[in-house]
Amino acid sequence: MPDNAQQFASDNYSGICPEAWAAMAEANQGHQRAYGDDEWTARAADHFRRLFETDCEVFFAFNGTAANSLALASLCQSYHSVICSETAHVETDECGAPEFFSNGSKLLLANTDNGKLTPQAIREIALKRQDIHYPKPRVVTLTQATEVGTVYRPEEVRAISQICKELNLNLHMDGARFSNACAFLGCSPAELTWKAGVDVLCFGGTKNGMAVGEAIVFFNKDLAEDFDYRCKQAGQLASKMRYLSAPWVGILQDDAWLKYANHANRCAQLLAELVTDVPGVSLMFPVEANGVFLQLSEPAIAALTARGWRFYTFIGAGGARFMCSWDTDEARVRQLAADIREVMSA
Amino acid sequence: MPDNAQQFASDNYSGICPEAWAAMAEANQGHQRAYGDDEWTARAADHFRRLFETDCEVFFAFNGTAANSLALASLCQSYHSVICSETAHVETDECGAPEFFSNGSKLLLANTDNGKLTPQAIREIALKRQDIHYPKPRVVTLTQATEVGTVYRPEEVRAISQICKELNLNLHMDGARFSNACAFLGCSPAELTWKAGVDVLCFGGTKNGMAVGEAIVFFNKDLAEDFDYRCKQAGQLASKMRYLSAPWVGILQDDAWLKYANHANRCAQLLAELVTDVPGVSLMFPVEANGVFLQLSEPAIAALTARGWRFYTFIGAGGARFMCSWDTDEARVRQLAADIREVMSA
Amino acid sequence: MPDNAQQFASDNYSGICPEAWAAMAEANQGHQRAYGDDEWTARAADHFRRLFETDCEVFFAFNGTAANSLALASLCQSYHSVICSETAHVETDECGAPEFFSNGSKLLLANTDNGKLTPQAIREIALKRQDIHYPKPRVVTLTQATEVGTVYRPEEVRAISQICKELNLNLHMDGARFSNACAFLGCSPAELTWKAGVDVLCFGGTKNGMAVGEAIVFFNKDLAEDFDYRCKQAGQLASKMRYLSAPWVGILQDDAWLKYANHANRCAQLLAELVTDVPGVSLMFPVEANGVFLQLSEPAIAALTARGWRFYTFIGAGGARFMCSWDTDEARVRQLAADIREVMSA
Amino acid sequence: MPDNAQQFASDNYSGICPEAWAAMAEANQGHQRAYGDDEWTARAADHFRRLFETDCEVFFAFNGTAANSLALASLCQSYHSVICSETAHVETDECGAPEFFSNGSKLLLANTDNGKLTPQAIREIALKRQDIHYPKPRVVTLTQATEVGTVYRPEEVRAISQICKELNLNLHMDGARFSNACAFLGCSPAELTWKAGVDVLCFGGTKNGMAVGEAIVFFNKDLAEDFDYRCKQAGQLASKMRYLSAPWVGILQDDAWLKYANHANRCAQLLAELVTDVPGVSLMFPVEANGVFLQLSEPAIAALTARGWRFYTFIGAGGARFMCSWDTDEARVRQLAADIREVMSA
């Protein structure tokens, strides 16, 4: 089972979903104006404005690292700092991209509760140093859903945005799995973002069925000033932009984004349910989005790997992350669960 | 003729060629390892090594701005400078990207001969300032084919690389239209690059039938040290890399890259031939690659625009650039030529 | 005449003036709070506010390169551009510092009239490119007095600031020799700066009798937000700040700054007057501040050098720059003039 | 006791020592070539080469923040990381300067033993992440003496440099109080640096009796390539360099640097001895250099402050840092000790 066994390693191991592919195929007709002056890009931006029920500014970047870094750089200067979770992707997996794009902004790591920042943790970090010998806090970034598969409730986001306002901090949301968060909560994208005080959202497409491409959505339009220049200078303006924007039209127009996020979340729930009674297995975090973090035994992990399953184990001894995707096969979920049961009882 | 009339505005107004599309479709099967650890990326890199007949290091970036800037940044430090043509894309159309990625390297503009740098011009610029109050020259960048449609011969590249060695300068080639240069000269990619002393080439795919994606090819492998980290930090590492690499397999495996470059060049030649005898029309530069630069009258330009033709006029009063592409329709070339003849005799 | 012969090479070949020295000596008593929280720094800032007749924000940096670069970086982002004279020090003699501190802002070079920018030249440059493929103009920087010894009149600065307002550009003044400009015009520092629309001034101390240290004066206080952090991060916050600020108290409190600038200007005038009738000698630029630019013959230049005189010849064949300073000896001016007369008639 | 009471707040609250002052006065004669081409700068560099018994490359910067940041930037690229102590000045008190100068290099914080890095801690941090999604470790920086007043022994430095060689890491030493370390150990500067494998040292002058100025000493000369350009671009090249270099001649030529470091260390020892038997007082760290870190009661701290004493309390509840300097008055040390005894028994 060479290929399918990789299904739980990462949601970016999956391919392009039919709706995104069809839109690309449709866009691949004749000549189109370059650099975003095409029809597809205008349509995609309109879809975002409809989805978020507000006149937001929308930009497209090639990947999440760039989207997050450009957004953060637009929210602070090099001598400012960004408060994030100690497990935030911007801290742990972007190779210093936020520091690079901002020319030096420091990330300040806050403790979290199930991967989620709290107003209290933000306040402590923000007020810890207030002298010019240390970068001045200027931004808070949340990951929604978090890197450990949990989801901020609208009221949690609101509480954070209130502390941000109080402390003069901008609020950014890394939404690499924003779709999964919306699907889990069943609430509208607007409720989870600008209505809760988010200034800028990076909305991930790659992990939900696109080839490349993230959308940067500014609800606070003042902060978007000259952001098009920023993207261009940083190598994030596609000449044939239609191939970045058309897939968005594809997954937004009939809500495929939500359908697939629901599917991935359901697969994660299923996996959790199927192993929850296995002796020795425990959930490391509540299963809310599309990831399942299991505490297993080390021999069990080795045995699963020997059976060909691929998954990440960066969470510490005995921890295993299983990610579900838009195209995860439920039969494979059941097979994985059966294998977990077997190896744990071996 | 809304759509087709745009055919001569830019070669990045064109879409994805069949070979690239087919490879993407084939790659879009099941799950694949992310971040370049997939089979397609390995295959694409091998195709480049075969094509260039040498064990080069190959990286993929999303677009030419990033590819050029990352390559230049790897060849110099912030206090160094880059010698380029005054018409070089890195100077005129990348919004300060080279300065951004390198954290401040200055571009030094040299006069050119039909858009081409000469050893003499490079020497003059390089030796003009040799004090610490001015950035130290460290790199020369050539555009092949040039922004005005001309092509460096292998011996011209060699002469430049010799002056580079003499002056301790690295040699970079911006090959956004490298395919067109190879097609025009009928010589091998190796002859035009490492055999002529080029250290790093940015090989353009976008303008020759791909959706996104340029390859950065290091012939001087020492200069490639940790370049993978550089790409990652700068937001140029695709998670689903197969969609960047598979199209390269598609256009390299059966030489579609060359077939299409030949086609685009031929269309340009055809256009030039068809209007060469029109009174008042003159060629601004020799037609070698896929661009035709015509000196027209200003009323003629207005008349062509009124007929729906799209083309660029940034070259000065009366100058018009017509670009041909991998999918340019010869019938449209003839119609454009006929229209030029008409409006010039009006 | 080893030492004195250097008197005309540069005004930063001169030492510390008595008033600055005395203030440093006085400041060198016991312990003082560090990083600018000392009495001398407060006094120096107050002197600036009195001198400029307004409640400006004042910061101190170690040298002019840093002062200019930090000021410019606070006025634009990396994807913006700075319009300057083609002879501006920021362009020709700061080794890419503006590009480095701003993380990539491009300098756009305008033609000048006797070294001075004009509203027309600024407008042309600013409007030349208005697309995202080229850095967006955001700042104009003037050098007062200019690098060729000329001085902007208040009405010239006003005309420039009007075009800046019209085009949404900030206005910076590099005042490395601002003292000499004030001395020449006999007008108040306020008239030459904020009353004429200047947003930020870098006021040079080094060339007018200090060891190190330039003041950055924000008349537009909004632009000064968090500028103290910027200075700190960029390595421009002195721990023992009193040694940077006390000399300012020394030269500002009894107007030594003006006395010395007047002296230097007078010496330049004297030199010009003494050689104006020498056959073959001509002034390259009007002598307004403390520099004299003479067109000599190349043999004459060689002969002067052979006699031990030191001066710069970067202005082109036969051009020679003679700078006067706060401590230039009039007898040496006369001797230099006599030598010029001799070598030109040889 | 307004002024003297500040004597223990920071060693940079102190002034210029007589030897440095005298050298500045002597240097303040007539004109001198600018930008380091003067005699004083050559003499100062020679003194360093004599002191370190090797042909090192020497550069001068205005302050420690810049010296450290420039040195680190020369040892790594933006996508590399720097391993440092969690209490390192570069991390806690330079406002993100290392990240700014290097355009994004990340600091990786290691646990320490009495403020000192250990080979084991370095190895763990260096090997923790070895994938391109996290900055690649490339440099280790030590602070000698440490921020908590302890001193690395030569064999400790050697052990660290061995692990550096093994892991391909460069070794930098932040020597803001290098003098105090040498004085404590009684060993030669060479033994503590290049003989123990240090690549680059930033040798602090400010805290040991100078107005401004740190020396950057490259023992590994390959790493110094074009470092003069780096300094210039970053605003760290003084035009009147003699005022930065002459004080070094002053304190190096007759070993005033060592005399003063010994004095400051002795004062710290004295303070520690005088309070060591006070009930409730304990030393937080061994007293080796010129700082004393005492655990006091919070009321005692308040009482000392009320009596006018100034000192830092950033070390946590009840912690107090008392710094001695080149000019600390022993009578004041005794008075402080007596006051500590009194307030602790109140």
Side-chain angles (χ1 to χ4, degrees), chain C residues 3 12-16 28 31-32 63 93 95-97 101 206 210 232-237 240 242-243 327, chain D residues 3 13-16 28 31-32 34 63 93 95-97 101 206 210 232-237 240 242-243 327:
Chain C
D3 194 50
N12 58 35
Y13 277 37
S14 62
I16 305 175
N28 194 30
H31 282 219
Q32 278 274 359
N63 66 13
D93 285 288
C95 197
F101 281 87
T206 313
M210 287 175 54
K232 167 70 191 185
Q233 185 183 44
Q236 292 290 328
L237 179 63
K240 298 184 175 177
R242 53 175 149 164
Y243 299 107
D327 67 345
Chain D
D3 193 50
Y13 277 38
S14 62
I16 304 176
N28 193 29
H31 282 219
Q32 278 274 0
N63 65 13
D93 285 288
C95 197
F101 281 87
T206 313
M210 288 176 51
K232 168 69 192 185
Q233 185 183 42
Q236 292 290 329
L237 178 64
K240 298 183 176 179
R242 53 175 148 163
Y243 299 107
D327 67 344

Side-chain angles (χ1 to χ4, degrees), chain B residues 89-110:
Chain B
H89 199 264
V90 290
E91 164 64 18
T92 64
D93 284 288
E94 299 187 351
C95 197
E99 294 91 334
F100 173 75
F101 281 87
S102 65
N103 199 21
S105 302
K106 210 175 182 74
L107 302 184
L108 307 188
L109 310 186

Side-chain angles (χ1 to χ4, degrees), chain C residues 119-140:
Chain C
Q120 182 56 24
I122 292 167
R123 182 189 298 275
E124 272 170 30
I125 288 264
L127 299 183
K128 192 176 177 189
R129 287 288 297 269
Q130 302 201 282
D131 56 280
I132 56 169
H133 304 287
Y134 201 70
K136 184 178 181 175
R138 198 71 186 82
V139 189
V140 169

Side-chain angles (χ1 to χ4, degrees), chain A residues 47-48 51-52 58-61 63-64 67-68 144 172-180 182 189 193 200-208 210 213-217 219 248 251-252 257-258 261:
Chain A
H47 273 294
F48 276 104
L51 181 68
F52 283 97
V58 183
F59 302 87
F60 300 97
N63 65 13
N68 284 329
Q144 175 75 314
H172 167 259
M173 181 174 277
D174 172 355
R177 296 185 183 98
F178 181 72
S179 302
N180 304 91
C182 290
T193 55
V200 186
L201 167 72
C202 293
F203 192 143
T206 313
K207 290 184 164 66
N208 201 20
M210 289 176 53
E214 313 286 295
I216 302 147
V217 185
F219 303 110
W248 281 111
I251 70 168
L252 292 181
W257 69 278
L258 192 57

